[in-house]
Amino acid sequence: MAGETRLSLHVPEPEVRPGDTPDFSNVAIDRAGTIRRPEIDVVPEEIRDLAFSIIRVLNRDAEAVGPWSGLLDADELRDGLRHMMTLRAFDARMMLAQRQGKTSFYMQHLGEEAVACAFRKALAPGDMNFPTYRQAGLLIADDYPLVEMMNQIFSNERDPLKGRQLPIMYSSRAHGFFSISGNLATQFVQAVGWAMASAIKHDSKIAAAWIGDGSTAESDFHAGLVFASTYKAPVVLNIVNNQWAISTFQGIARGGAGTFAARGHGFAIPALRVDGNDYLAVHAVARWAVERARANLGPTLVEYVTYRAGAHSTSDDPTAYRPQTESDSWPLGDPVMRLKAHLIRIGAWSEERHAQAEAEIADTVVAAQREAERHGTLHAGGHPSPRDMFEGVYAEMPPHLRRQRQRAGY
Amino acid sequence: MATMTMIEAIRDALDVAMGRDDDVVVFGEDVGYFGGVFRCTQGLQAKYGKTRCFDTPINESGIVGTAIGMAAYGLRPCLEIQFADYVYPAYDQIVSEAARLRHRSNGDFTAPLTIRMPTGGGIFGGQTHSQSPEALFTHVAGLKTVVPSNPRDAKGLLLAAIEDDDPVIFLEPKRLYNGPFDGHHERAVTPWAGHPLAEVPAGYYSEPLGRAAIRRPGAAATVLAYGTMVHVALADVAARGIDAEVVDLRTLLPLDLDCIAASVRKTGRCVVVHEATLTSGFGAELAALVQEHCFFHLEAPVARVTGWDTPYPHAQEWDYFPGPARVGEALAAVLEI
Ligand SMILES: Cc1ncc(C[n+]2csc(CCOP(=O)(O)OP(=O)(O)O)c2C)c(N)n1
Ligand SMILES: [Mg+2]
């Protein structure tokens, strides 16, 4: 047939690859303070545009501006800075510990510290996070003991998870931190179920689901959205868009949609997009979504726009798939530096106090590590018993497993 | 012949398959530009273009589901699931769709696809990077399941799998990617270089599915193993000076029952070894077949050495992994009876 179109397969590609000059000119960034703050009972159709803009509070001059500012006082901001700095120092020590063979594996948060640290402060006791492996900030901002985290990372005799789980796959019901699975997206929909249970029981607790940009491609993400939409579950659905999923750029998961936040629209779930490197903006948007959920107004989808400045994990080398300097050109800056500059700007902080805080935090982290190492590291010192491997598979150990445990000599 | 690691041999097989047949397409998470987290597809996108080797969204069900559609159209997809531990979202597509398509459409549609995935433990990967789910596939009518134990087989078997007209589950023991690991984790890592089965013929050849290989002939007992456990068994038999016959099954389905039965009839004793959990594991199938086919030749009950019936642990990896000590104990016990 004349003029018939021959088909061809479209395979998206990132703008740049190793050797190219990093280019984020396609990332449209709104000026701080320019995006409106709707009422929490707004009709979702009226804020469809908020899935395509970026809510920001901190401007270039480190001032907090616009309708999303003014929620946190200087003490709270200093706390936030301390949490982010602690997470960063913790990551640096654990990366080193992994290289020294004290643990098998680690995943850091470099560049994304604001997201979980600021979100945590919007929750109330009893609320439950269903985190991915990149939300240790939820624990740190809730003052979970660093030593406990390290005990888990070192799989030592004090490991609260008895050596069963991969390092960093923490669990703490008391701190509103659901056990991390490791299988992507599975827990996104579980958060919706937890929230539905709270509603069934006329409770006041809410849930927070977490997922990475790449993992939004999983079917469980979409299952989470439809259940949240149908039952108006009291849940905040968080997407951390750090631009990369191991070596795969976010365009592969996003496909033809303009943003990840826009995924909410087909489900009539209000969707906001926020500067993930702006502690104040993250916190303000989290507060909005949490209030909405708690007021029985249903789910909110939030996309945090950030950048994974480090490698995916200790098993990854990003120079193989993205320009080495890409991280430096990321237009939303560094969350720690931005909050520090703001605190200095409002006269609540100084270079000296920052240096002093850095030293104190380093000391705290080192002291925690020393304490954890007294109880062993992966290949040295105290370790969980092989018996612990057989325990906890069932509420009561069935006879066949008891026989196996005995055969193993424990 | 070139010396290759298992990774290089798999990459070479994919290269040969793609070079010979334009219908072979390769895809999965991180397999395109980067070449896979284990680098098994490195260079293929550059060579064959991004519509024949590409990155997919992180959705295992989608990866297998689209592959079934492509295969039904007439392509020969060879896809990668990043770790066998992440195949479960695709299980419905594999079990209800790929496995049954031929049968339910009476051959009107078929699904000649190959699903590659790293399997097994030994890398401190915890419960999400260590599982051995082969029995979940051998239990399903319509699927073939392959587990190579060395670079030469990996290449030949993968080429046969891609050419096969039915869906093939191709499990790659990740602890063997860079060397013939024999379970002695306390010793220095042995590379593939120097191993006779790391000598990989250039170009095309295929290793037929359904044929076991005797890695070490012997008369005192038969060890049935596959993947990493072949090397564990060989090392242990050598260290203890036991005259055991070590059979590398290579393909679990179709299974080389003739080879198994001949060996056990000769030795009269049999130890089955796998990393996967014991209960309803593939070892149960092997033990049942040996009992059915060799009952009057058996001098001792068939023994099974396997992972324990627990999730794969992190810290207790070497207490879980059925290493040389446990294989040796089982052999000694079987020989004493
Ligand atoms: C079901 C499943 N498939 C694949 C993987 C392997 N995997 C681990 S992390 C990852 C990338 C996830 O990227 P993203 O969701 O963007 O999160 P990020 O690591 O950037 O925080 C992949 C593919 C997995 N853990 N689970
Ligand atoms: Mg990501």
Side-chain angles (χ1 to χ4, degrees):
Chain A
M1 217 197 294
E4 193 185 343
T5 304
R6 301 301 298 246
L7 302 169
S8 65
L9 187 71
H10 171 67
V11 181
E13 270 295 320
E15 311 278 330
V16 293
R17 285 294 193 187
D20 299 337
T21 308
D23 179 11
F24 285 110
S25 56
N26 63 330
V27 183
I29 296 169
D30 299 277
R31 289 224 335 270
T34 57
I35 307 298
R36 72 185 185 287
R37 184 180 195 278
E39 293 302 315
I40 55 170
D41 59 356
V42 68
V43 182
E45 291 86 85
E46 285 174 14
I47 58 165
R48 288 174 72 90
D49 56 313
L50 297 191
F52 300 97
S53 53
I54 301 187
I55 296 165
R56 303 175 67 224
V57 170
L58 292 174
N59 69 13
R60 276 169 202 272
D61 299 324
E63 296 157 327
V65 294
W68 296 88
S69 69
L71 294 177
L72 295 167
D73 65 24
D75 277 338
E76 289 166 323
L77 289 174
R78 278 189 296 257
D79 261 357
L81 183 65
R82 181 170 54 82
H83 293 145
M84 292 197 289
M85 290 168 73
T86 303
L87 178 55
R88 190 167 288 188
F90 185 92
D91 277 351
R93 290 296 303 185
M94 293 301 99
M95 294 291 287
L96 186 65
Q98 193 273 343
R99 280 198 291 275
Q100 293 167 336
K102 292 174 179 170
T103 179
S104 59
F105 179 77
Y106 193 72
M107 297 179 93
Q108 61 173 332
H109 308 75
L110 191 65
E112 302 177 39
E113 291 90 345
V115 178
C117 288
F119 185 89
R120 175 69 242 188
K121 294 319 242 182
L123 292 177
D127 293 340
M128 187 60 74
N129 286 286
F130 288 72
T132 80
Y133 45 71
R134 230 183 284 283
Q135 273 92 43
L138 294 172
L139 288 174
I140 285 181
D142 200 47
D143 294 321
Y144 185 81
L146 301 184
V147 182
E148 289 291 284
M149 295 169 74
M150 290 175 180
N151 287 338
Q152 198 278 329
I153 291 165
F154 294 149
S155 294
N156 67 19
E157 66 193 7
R158 291 273 176 97
D159 174 359
L161 307 182
K162 309 282 187 199
R164 294 171 189 155
Q165 251 295 31
L166 201 63
I168 69 139
M169 303 288 177
Y170 317 105
S171 173
S172 174
R173 182 184 269 270
H175 286 263
F177 194 96
F178 194 77
S179 153
I180 303 176
S181 156
N183 290 54
L184 298 172
T186 47
Q187 301 184 280
F188 197 80
V189 62
Q190 294 165 11
V192 177
W194 201 98
M196 287 167 64
S198 183
I200 290 168
K201 300 302 283 182
H202 307 297
D203 200 345
S204 60
K205 300 187 183 83
I206 65 147
W210 292 89
I211 200 163
D213 52 336
S215 307
T216 61
E218 288 282 11
S219 306
D220 283 340
F221 168 75
H222 302 266
L225 292 187
V226 71
F227 276 75
S229 168
T230 298
Y231 299 107
K232 291 200 190 306
V235 61
V236 183
L237 304 162
N238 295 307
I239 303 172
V240 183
N241 175 7
N242 63 5
Q243 312 301 319
W244 289 94
I246 310 184
S247 77
T248 304
F249 89 116
Q250 42 84 22
I252 294 283
R254 184 171 45 76
T259 66
F260 288 96
R263 292 273 189 253
H265 288 166
F267 299 89
I269 295 176
L272 305 179
R273 207 155 162 265
V274 56
D275 177 347
N277 290 12
D278 179 339
Y279 185 93
L280 287 85
V282 169
H283 180 263
V285 167
R287 271 263 280 264
W288 190 90
V290 166
E291 274 173 31
R292 240 187 125 260
R294 215 177 303 279
N296 212 30
L297 294 165
T300 307
L301 184 65
V302 183
E303 175 184 347
Y304 303 88
V305 182
T306 181
Y307 184 82
R308 195 196 79 209
H312 170 73
S313 72
T314 46
S315 314
D316 177 47
D317 172 15
T319 60
Y321 51 80
R322 67 183 191 188
Q324 202 151 16
T325 54
E326 194 180 79
S327 168
D328 305 329
S329 0
W330 175 244
L332 293 176
D334 177 271
V336 175
M337 291 302 125
R338 284 174 71 190
L339 183 53
K340 173 191 167 194
H342 174 62
L343 278 164
I344 291 175
R345 172 94 205 191
I346 61 172
W349 200 238
S350 66
E351 288 294 348
E352 296 71 47
R353 286 178 78 176
H354 193 80
Q356 194 188 338
E358 223 158 34
E360 281 168 15
I361 287 167
D363 283 351
T364 306
V365 173
V366 168
Q369 185 173 357
R370 204 169 295 134
E371 166 67 11
E373 287 192 12
R374 287 205 307 124
H375 301 291
T377 56
L378 181 57
H379 299 294
H383 50 79
S385 162
R387 198 186 162 93
D388 293 323
M389 159 174 82
F390 293 97
E391 305 282 352
V393 183
Y394 299 91
E396 237 177 87
M397 192 177 291
H400 77 283
L401 200 51
R402 177 162 295 113
R403 277 196 300 277
Q404 289 183 28
R405 192 192 72 201
Q406 283 158 357
R407 210 160 84 201
Y410 302 101
Chain B
M1 273 201 279
T3 301
M4 291 189 192
T5 66
M6 195 119 142
I7 292 169
E8 289 162 343
I10 288 162
R11 193 187 296 152
D12 192 35
L14 292 169
D15 188 4
V16 169
M18 292 177 90
R20 279 165 59 93
D21 182 353
D22 283 348
D23 289 338
V24 176
V25 288
V26 169
F27 55 94
E29 295 158 17
D30 299 294
V31 312
Y33 182 87
F34 183 50
V37 294
F38 288 103
R39 320 318 302 277
C40 289
T41 57
Q42 195 179 12
L44 297 176
Q45 183 176 75
K47 186 164 175 184
Y48 296 101
K50 63 179 191 174
T51 60
R52 290 195 57 208
C53 176
F54 51 89
D55 290 328
T56 64
I58 302 171
N59 185 318
E60 291 75 13
S61 169
I63 294 169
V64 176
T66 54
I68 293 170
M70 291 180 203
Y73 176 94
L75 301 188
R76 289 205 173 250
C78 180
L79 40 135
E80 177 177 300
I81 298 294
Q82 200 161 83
F83 285 86
D85 316 66
Y86 303 139
V87 74
Y88 307 117
Y91 199 55
D92 191 32
Q93 287 289 343
I94 296 171
V95 174
S96 312
E97 306 300 323
R100 300 185 204 150
L101 188 57
R102 172 188 299 282
H103 189 260
R104 75 172 189 230
S105 71
N106 195 25
D108 200 16
F109 295 100
T110 61
L113 54 93
T114 303
I115 307 178
R116 294 180 37 243
M117 46 189 141
T119 184
I123 64 158
F124 276 95
Q127 57 184 254
T128 52
H129 305 89
S130 308
Q131 296 164 45
S132 297
E134 63 272 12
L136 299 181
F137 301 110
T138 56
H139 194 58
V140 176
L143 299 178
K144 295 182 178 178
T145 300
V146 179
V147 191
S149 71
N150 59 75
R152 192 200 193 107
D153 279 0
K155 179 175 172 182
L157 289 167
L158 183 54
L159 279 159
I162 292 170
E163 287 172 347
D164 198 277
D165 289 330
D166 287 310
V168 179
I169 306 294
F170 195 84
L171 297 165
E172 301 168 2
K174 65 181 87 68
R175 183 63 214 236
L176 297 182
Y177 271 151
N178 289 307
F181 178 63
D182 64 6
H184 286 283
H185 56 91
E186 70 288 358
R187 297 184 192 157
V189 173
T190 318
W192 276 113
H195 194 287
L197 292 169
E199 293 297 312
V200 177
Y204 177 82
Y205 66 95
S206 78
E207 202 66 66
L209 305 187
R211 234 181 264 166
I214 293 173
R215 298 296 174 204
R216 183 199 184 282
T222 298
V223 181
L224 301 179
Y226 47 93
T228 309
M229 300 316 294
V230 171
H231 302 278
V232 173
L234 283 171
D236 193 64
V237 163
R240 289 171 201 258
I242 299 171
D243 185 27
E245 183 148 292
V246 177
V247 181
D248 177 355
L249 299 177
R250 303 204 283 190
T251 309
L252 306 188
L253 202 146
L255 184 68
D256 192 348
L257 184 57
D258 291 346
C259 172
I260 293 170
S263 177
V264 178
R265 283 183 193 136
K266 179 176 74 179
T267 63
R269 295 167 207 271
C270 180
V271 175
V272 177
V273 192
H274 60 61
E275 284 182 64
T277 47
L278 175 75
T279 302
S280 305
F282 193 67
E285 178 66 26
L286 291 171
L289 286 169
V290 167
Q291 180 271 136
E292 277 167 30
H293 293 270
C294 313
F295 185 73
F296 295 106
H297 296 79
L298 281 176
E299 312 270 356
V302 179
R304 285 183 287 167
V305 184
T306 70
W308 306 115
D309 284 345
T310 74
Y312 200 107
H314 176 255
Q316 300 93 339
E317 169 132 55
W318 302 123
D319 301 299
Y320 179 92
F321 187 89
R326 282 171 58 200
V327 174
E329 273 165 34
L331 267 172
V334 160
L335 287 170
E336 266 170 29
I337 295 166

